[in-house]
Amino acid sequence: MTADRAPAGSLAEMVRSYLDDPEVALRPADPTREARLNTWGYGLDGRPVDVEATVAALDAVRRGLADRLADQPHPGTFYAWYDDQTGQLRCSLSSAAPDGLPFGEPYRVTGDAAEIVAAAAADPQPGWVAFDELTEVTGPTGDGEVPHPPFPVWAVAVR
């Protein structure tokens, strides 16, 4: 099987479907609507993840978005991350630069999509966190924020 011919229902096939939505577009004047319409989540539901095919699908989406946005006055950022609390690979398109994406927690940008997809593939029970892996939060730190380690986000410019 090649990365261009992912099996029906596979994570790679679901990621490629991102390009099928005409609502996915840059909306720099309305970042809230932009995030709501452009953010997709793909549940893993315990199915096997073909890392290579899914990375190829993410790159195909990046190329497709670059073609779609070629005449836009503003560049965009296509990005993906693994949300281990929901067991979803998530993708979005933003008018923000990679270092200004709309996350409420610290993140670190990686240029390696395989890092993100491998994290999804390595999760033995997507969307489920074992009780012994939870940490107690006793209250905010001095600046009002609860510290969390930055999570990886694959982010690439499109256009």
Side-chain angles (χ1 to χ4, degrees):
M1 169 188 322
T2 68
D4 290 337
R5 296 188 47 112
S10 71
L11 182 59
E13 183 180 73
M14 290 187 292
V15 167
R16 285 180 187 276
S17 73
Y18 190 84
L19 290 171
D20 296 340
D21 187 349
E23 295 276 331
V24 170
L26 294 176
R27 295 174 175 81
D30 192 352
T32 301
R33 185 167 187 246
E34 180 179 72
R36 188 179 75 250
L37 292 176
N38 292 350
T39 303
W40 285 34
Y42 308 99
L44 302 181
D45 302 326
R47 72 184 71 165
V49 175
D50 182 333
V51 174
E52 184 180 331
T54 305
V55 168
L58 286 166
D59 190 55
V61 171
R62 178 199 55 82
R63 289 190 317 270
L65 289 172
D67 290 344
R68 183 185 294 185
L69 302 172
D71 63 346
Q72 295 290 312
H74 303 283
T77 301
F78 178 60
Y79 58 105
W81 70 101
Y82 180 60
D83 183 337
D84 59 351
Q85 292 180 329
T86 64
Q88 293 182 338
L89 177 70
R90 295 195 175 186
C91 300
S92 195
L93 175 67
S94 177
S95 299
D99 63 352
L101 297 174
F103 289 109
E105 295 185 33
Y107 66 95
R108 67 175 173 78
V109 174
T110 179
D112 183 8
E115 178 182 357
I116 306 305
V117 180
D123 191 339
Q125 295 180 320
W128 187 81
V129 180
F131 185 78
D132 61 346
E133 293 177 15
L134 297 174
T135 57
E136 184 175 340
V137 176
T138 58
T141 61
D143 63 2
E145 293 292 319
V146 176
H148 294 282
F151 60 95
V153 175
W154 175 69
V156 291
V158 291
R159 188 176 70 89

